[in-house]
Amino acid sequence: MGGLVMTAPLPDQEFVNLLDIHAQLELPDGMRAELIGGEIVISPTPANFHNWIYGRLQRRLNREVPEDWIVTNTATVFLPATEERFIPDLLICESEALKSMEEWQVQAGDVLLVAEITSPSTRARDLQAKVKGYAHSNVPIYLLIDPHDDEGSTTVYSAPDGKGRYRDEHRAAFGEPLTLPEPLGLELDTAGFLK
């Protein structure tokens, strides 16, 4: 099922109203809302295979991440350069960034890594809009796991330029090793994502 777009791109004044709408949305169970490119996009929650990949990735990263960082999901990342709000499938951020009981967003500056696992309805956004959005706000590492790329692939983007591009991009087919850059500096066994 594809995402439902609630609005079209808006002029700057109306964008402020869109931010208020996004902050106050009450969604039915099984749905989530993201602010992407001046639009509120409401999508269903992921399928089981997507969640299986997430679980394998989370387990691996939890063993490697230092104590002052945390691996989590369902957190909204605020991207100040574009005013967008993305909900990555997984993120690693400073533990302190999640301790506020009132705050529902994580600032891009507190994020070390974001990961997206594509689905048929999100693949185009994950490969285009989200790469640009994360790079604009200097999120250090963007990990894209794409089970819909032939037999599956994993791409790590790093060294953002602050202008919507990552200077380094490394892709591995499922089954090939892939190194996540420093400060993680670990080898990811993508064979764990094979069906």
Side-chain angles (χ1 to χ4, degrees), residues 1-5 31-32 34 36 41-47 50 117-127 130 146 148:
M1 175 190 294
L4 169 69
V5 177
M31 301 300 284
R32 66 183 187 173
E34 296 179 271
I36 302 173
V41 179
I42 299 175
S43 305
T45 52
H50 177 286
I117 304 163
T118 68
S119 67
S121 65
T122 66
R123 188 169 189 263
R125 286 192 301 271
D126 293 340
L127 288 166
K130 288 198 171 184
D146 189 357
H148 305 283

Side-chain angles (χ1 to χ4, degrees), residues 146-154 171-175:
D146 189 357
H148 305 283
D149 178 19
D150 293 324
E151 298 299 313
S153 69
T154 305
R171 181 186 174 278
F174 281 2

Side-chain angles (χ1 to χ4, degrees), residues 49 53 57 115-119 123 126-127 142-157 169-178 180 188-195:
F49 182 66
I53 289 175
L57 178 63
E116 299 286 0
I117 304 163
T118 68
S119 67
R123 188 169 189 263
D126 293 340
L127 288 166
Y142 176 40
L143 182 65
L144 180 70
I145 301 170
D146 189 357
H148 305 283
D149 178 19
D150 293 324
E151 298 299 313
S153 69
T154 305
T155 305
V156 62
Y157 300 87
E169 177 182 337
H170 301 281
R171 181 186 174 278
F174 281 2
E176 298 174 355
L178 183 68
L180 298 180
L188 188 63
D189 179 8
T190 67
F193 304 146
L194 290 167
K195 291 182 186 178

Side-chain angles (χ1 to χ4, degrees), residues 2-188:
L4 169 69
V5 177
M6 296 224 11
T7 66
L10 298 171
D12 288 344
Q13 180 60 37
E14 293 180 24
F15 191 72
V16 174
N17 293 334
L18 188 60
L19 295 177
D20 291 338
I21 292 168
H22 179 261
Q24 296 174 24
L25 278 176
E26 292 185 24
L27 299 172
D29 289 343
M31 301 300 284
R32 66 183 187 173
E34 296 179 271
L35 185 55
I36 302 173
E39 300 175 336
I40 294 176
V41 179
I42 299 175
S43 305
T45 52
N48 286 342
F49 182 66
H50 177 286
N51 291 332
W52 180 80
I53 289 175
Y54 165 82
R56 302 205 36 109
L57 178 63
Q58 182 197 38
R59 186 178 313 134
R60 171 73 168 112
L61 293 174
N62 273 332
R63 290 193 301 257
E64 303 290 337
V65 172
E67 193 67 29
D68 56 338
W69 293 86
I70 193 162
V71 179
T72 189
N73 67 342
T74 69
T76 300
V77 177
F78 171 64
L79 304 171
T82 60
E83 296 281 327
E84 293 173 296
R85 276 89 170 151
F86 292 172
I87 303 174
D89 293 314
L90 178 143
L91 68 92
I92 300 175
C93 66
E94 294 182 18
S95 296
E96 292 295 317
L98 298 179
K99 287 188 175 178
S100 169
M101 293 183 71
E102 291 81 33
E103 184 58 55
W104 58 276
Q105 300 178 116
V106 176
Q107 301 299 310
D110 294 328
V111 175
L112 170 66
L113 174 145
V114 291
E116 299 286 0
I117 304 163
T118 68
S119 67
S121 65
T122 66
R123 188 169 189 263
R125 286 192 301 271
D126 293 340
L127 288 166
Q128 296 167 20
K130 288 198 171 184
V131 173
K132 290 177 186 173
Y134 289 131
H136 269 297
S137 288
N138 291 306
V139 172
I141 303 169
Y142 176 40
L143 182 65
L144 180 70
I145 301 170
D146 189 357
H148 305 283
D149 178 19
D150 293 324
E151 298 299 313
S153 69
T154 305
T155 305
V156 62
Y157 300 87
S158 61
D161 66 2
K163 299 175 185 172
R165 303 184 89 185
Y166 283 95
R167 291 187 279 282
D168 295 328
E169 177 182 337
H170 301 281
R171 181 186 174 278
F174 281 2
E176 298 174 355
L178 183 68
T179 301
L180 298 180
E182 294 295 337
L184 289 176
L186 64 94
E187 188 171 286
L188 188 63

